[in-house]
Amino acid sequence: MRIRLFFFTLFLLSIVLSISCREGNVNRETPSLWQVYKDYFPIGAAVNPTTINTHKSLLEKHFNVVTPENQMKWEIIHPLPESYNFSEADKIVEFAIKNNMKVRGHTLVWHQQVPSWVFTNERGNFVSKDILLKRLEEHIKKVVGYYKGKVYAWDVVNEAISDNPNEFLRNVPWYRIGGEELIEKAFIWAHEADPDALLFYNDYNLEEPRKRDKAYELVKRLKEKGIPIHGVGIQGHWILGWPTPRMLEESIKKFSSLGLQVEVTEFDISIYYDRNENANFTTPPEDRIERQAQLYKEAFRVLRNYKDVVTGVIFWGVADDATWLDQWPIRGRKDHPLLFDVKHNPKKAFWEVVSF
Ligand code: GLA
């Protein structure tokens, strides 16, 4: 009888074990992401006034930096010449202060989400360089001054480098009118407005050698002229097929060789191999979840190895139920680019990133 009971118990135990193994990490206690990385670098997420509520528990447990997704961009914070609207960004800053999180300011000069009045006069013509610079100075002093001491770092200039091989700066009103001097001035004014804030040049595809070299040229010139720039933000919008952690490593090496810090400012890895892949996964296939996990694992291995120069890693979102990639580049195509799934559970990628 005892022997039978023994074997029966053994049998029950093995069933329980196999179920918990199959469920993988679901039953494991989930560690706090930022705490796992506290000896390396802060971990952040882009948020908006909705997600600070809908994703509150994840944010409070796992992140110690937030970036306002849109709320500090010109079109929201300075929609009309005489009117600033800080209320949306304030909600995020208050949330961060309440939770002892740092705030990354994003962004002061960008060619998108900027109202057209910034570049034009009453007749609809482009303004002179002087006028544009004056408008920019006023904007930067006002916004950076307003958040002085509350924002630890600013993406002063976002995406100025052109993707066109024959062009250095992007052919957009900011640089058509203001040239490279506008970039220099933006950093100088941001520094005057908050001398303690760290100032970044931020861009996408900086893992790609040609774009990396162009950005390197730009920030090198700024450094040589004594312009107050402290770091380069590598956005880090990846797909399963591109780029590689090795390319990220090369970029970190190159930018840090100028004495600059590096932050990954908008990290996400799409579940698609190609931006325009003809598929739509409501539930992501296992092999893709696995590949994504391996890419995150290797990327974070690189980032940990450069912890002396990497001063932050920020995800562009919190969990897969709210990602900009559901709308871009294909509207309505579900993506799953983050460490937490649509139900806010940690994904395989999460476990790879915290296991080292
Ligand atoms: C760029 C910008 C971000 C954001 C993303 C897409 O990377 O820097 O502010 O708009 O595009 O959401």
Side-chain angles (χ1 to χ4, degrees):
M1 185 63 191
R2 270 215 199 131
I3 295 230
R4 243 194 273 159
L5 195 66
F6 173 76
F7 279 112
F8 184 65
T9 316
L10 216 62
F11 170 69
L12 278 183
L13 254 173
S14 70
I15 291 182
V16 170
L17 250 171
S18 81
I19 289 177
S20 66
C21 282
R22 236 182 298 145
E23 288 187 354
N25 299 306
V26 171
N27 296 328
R28 237 202 276 171
E29 168 132 21
T30 313
S32 150
L33 182 56
W34 79 260
Q35 280 179 20
V36 171
Y37 275 86
K38 70 179 181 334
D39 295 331
Y40 294 87
F41 35 74
I43 301 277
V47 297
N48 58 53
T50 303
T51 56
I52 54 174
N53 293 312
T54 53
H55 294 63
K56 189 166 181 275
S57 320
L58 284 181
L59 284 164
E60 288 175 356
K61 174 161 182 175
H62 295 287
F63 300 90
N64 53 353
V65 181
V66 287
T67 303
E69 217 176 328
N70 294 305
Q71 295 65 27
M72 290 180 174
K73 292 174 182 168
W74 276 74
E75 69 174 9
I76 293 187
I77 214 162
H78 192 177
L80 297 164
E82 306 301 331
S83 103
Y84 285 87
N85 164 25
F86 294 107
S87 63
E88 295 293 285
D90 279 350
K91 290 180 193 160
I92 294 168
V93 174
E94 278 158 25
F95 172 82
I97 292 173
K98 198 171 127 218
N99 288 292
N100 282 324
M101 295 165 170
K102 303 205 289 179
V103 179
R104 208 160 192 292
H106 178 80
T107 173
L108 300 169
V109 180
W110 191 32
H111 59 286
Q112 293 199 47
Q113 295 180 259
V114 54
S116 57
W117 64 259
V118 176
F119 309 105
T120 49
N121 60 21
E122 329 66 63
R123 291 184 302 283
N125 300 325
F126 277 142
V127 292
S128 66
K129 181 168 173 177
D130 272 1
I131 291 180
L132 182 63
L133 287 178
K134 274 216 181 66
R135 287 179 183 172
L136 180 61
E137 177 175 11
E138 191 225 90
H139 175 88
I140 291 180
K141 298 253 168 99
K142 183 90 173 185
V143 175
V144 176
Y146 183 88
Y147 288 113
K148 182 166 186 248
K150 295 182 174 168
V151 164
Y152 82 100
W154 278 99
D155 289 326
V156 177
V157 175
N158 193 32
E159 303 181 354
I161 298 291
S162 173
D163 292 314
N164 176 345
N166 304 316
E167 215 171 65
F168 188 66
L169 293 182
R170 209 178 259 281
N171 183 14
V172 293
W174 281 126
Y175 313 116
R176 274 213 298 275
I177 303 172
E180 209 163 306
E181 190 189 339
L182 183 137
I183 297 179
E184 297 165 7
K185 289 280 168 50
F187 279 92
I188 291 170
W189 292 325
H191 188 61
E192 280 172 19
D194 185 354
D196 294 328
L198 298 170
L199 306 181
F200 280 73
Y201 174 73
N202 193 53
D203 213 328
Y204 63 82
N205 289 4
L206 291 185
E207 301 88 346
E208 194 269 317
R210 262 178 309 172
K211 190 131 179 211
R212 175 203 294 149
D213 287 352
K214 279 182 170 176
Y216 174 85
E217 272 314 307
L218 175 68
V219 294
K220 183 162 170 275
R221 285 211 282 268
L222 295 175
K223 282 288 280 184
E224 282 167 358
K225 287 187 173 170
I227 305 295
I229 174 172
H230 309 103
V232 173
I234 297 176
Q235 289 187 0
H237 292 295
W238 291 16
I239 47 180
L240 286 185
W242 193 94
T244 62
R246 188 66 221 276
M247 291 162 80
L248 171 66
E249 177 166 12
E250 289 308 313
S251 300
I252 296 174
K253 275 201 222 156
K254 184 135 191 172
F255 295 125
S256 62
S257 73
L258 292 169
L260 292 167
Q261 309 178 2
V262 174
E263 296 196 359
V264 178
T265 51
E266 307 184 14
F267 212 4
D268 51 19
I269 306 182
S270 167
I271 209 68
Y272 298 96
Y273 277 90
D274 195 278
R275 287 282 178 214
N276 295 307
E277 193 180 333
N278 186 17
N280 190 348
F281 299 121
T282 316
T283 308
E286 199 41 48
D287 59 317
R288 291 179 182 235
I289 282 294
E290 178 61 38
R291 176 161 175 98
Q292 182 186 54
Q294 292 309 315
L295 281 170
Y296 269 124
K297 176 194 174 101
E298 290 308 317
F300 270 84
R301 193 202 303 280
V302 167
L303 293 163
R304 286 193 305 272
N305 287 343
Y306 290 85
K307 68 170 186 166
D308 294 343
V309 291
V310 173
T311 51
V313 176
I314 289 93
F315 291 88
W316 205 249
V318 187
D320 287 348
D321 58 320
T323 164
W324 72 292
L325 290 168
D326 287 353
Q327 306 306 327
W328 185 91
I330 299 174
R331 192 171 281 274
R333 182 183 68 173
K334 182 70 202 126
D335 211 327
H336 307 263
L338 299 160
L339 299 191
F340 299 94
D341 70 14
V342 291
K343 293 194 172 133
H344 296 194
N345 291 318
K347 291 160 66 179
K348 196 155 208 168
F350 173 88
W351 292 107
E352 293 294 357
V353 166
V354 298
S355 316
F356 56 89

